[in-house]
Amino acid sequence: LEEIDPNNIWNYSVETVEKLLPRLGNKPAVCLSGGIDSQVMVECFLRANAKFDIIVMRFPDDLNLHDIKTAIQFCQARELDYTVIDIDCIQFLSRDLIAFADKYDVSSPQFATHFKMFEKLQELGYTSAVCGGNTALNTVDGWFYPTTKEQSDWRSFSERSNFYVMGDFLSY
């Protein structure tokens, strides 16, 4: 990982978005969980003046109310439009997960639920999805971005669904 000049951090983020844009198609979905990683990602897209839609995933019975409340507050404070995608995670995880996991070769129920949302996004005409993702690890050998099984699952989903997903924008 190269040295990053803290005075130019937003320049790096704009360059990252610009490098990624050709892969995203004409209607990218930027997925906002409400966490700091996805908030920074949205800010990067804004600073790059990119065209994108903000997507917030909602579970039934307020199961992820804390997350979506933060995501919506973030959007409202910046006067940003957003779309809420409802996923019945209880039904999905209890009835549909095994077939879905086999279809996309995904090992994580958490990521499979995201992939269910990506299927919905594709049905709605979106050309790609971007998520905040992982951050660098500081080790005795320096900073690096680990390749994880989950990152392989993102790639596998993209290949099998013909829908581009950047699952770890912060490591791009």
Side-chain angles (χ1 to χ4, degrees):
L1 192 62
E2 65 185 65
E3 287 294 316
I4 295 177
D5 179 356
N7 297 316
N8 291 320
I9 192 69
W10 290 115
N11 292 340
Y12 294 117
S13 67
V14 168
E15 289 172 14
T16 300
V17 172
E18 289 171 348
K19 288 178 187 176
L20 186 57
L21 282 175
R23 294 182 175 186
L24 301 182
N26 62 357
K27 192 174 180 185
V30 173
C31 302
L32 179 61
S33 68
I36 190 68
D37 293 350
S38 63
Q39 290 178 22
V40 168
M41 177 186 60
V42 168
E43 185 65 31
C44 292
F45 274 77
L46 291 171
R47 288 176 184 252
N49 293 314
K51 181 183 169 214
F52 65 98
D53 289 350
I54 297 173
I55 303 298
V56 177
M57 179 170 51
R58 178 173 57 198
F59 298 148
D61 302 322
D62 293 333
L63 290 174
N64 64 335
L65 179 62
H66 174 75
D67 296 323
I68 64 170
K69 186 170 80 173
T70 304
I72 290 169
Q73 288 171 344
F74 175 86
C75 290
Q76 289 173 340
R78 289 157 184 77
E79 299 180 355
L80 300 172
D81 293 331
Y82 59 91
T83 299
V84 175
I85 301 291
D86 289 311
I87 300 289
D88 187 341
C89 61
I90 302 299
Q91 177 178 324
F92 175 73
L93 293 172
S94 64
R95 297 184 188 163
D96 305 329
L97 177 61
I98 293 174
F100 195 87
D102 288 343
K103 179 179 178 181
Y104 291 115
D105 190 28
V106 60
S107 60
S108 164
Q110 174 190 2
F111 284 96
T113 304
H114 284 79
F115 297 168
K116 181 67 177 173
M117 177 183 66
F118 300 154
E119 276 191 343
K120 285 190 170 193
L121 292 173
Q122 192 172 28
E123 291 167 8
L124 292 170
Y126 287 93
T127 54
S128 60
V130 185
C131 299
N134 300 324
T135 56
L137 296 178
N138 189 4
T139 70
V140 293
D141 297 321
W143 289 91
F144 78 100
Y145 289 101
T147 299
T148 64
K149 172 64 173 114
E150 289 78 13
Q151 289 169 319
S152 297
D153 287 346
W154 295 117
R155 287 190 296 272
S156 175
F157 176 84
S158 290
E159 292 167 3
R160 291 172 185 234
S161 67
N162 199 29
F163 183 75
Y164 184 77
V165 175
M166 168 50 70
D168 51 353
F169 173 79
L170 294 181
S171 66
Y172 187 73

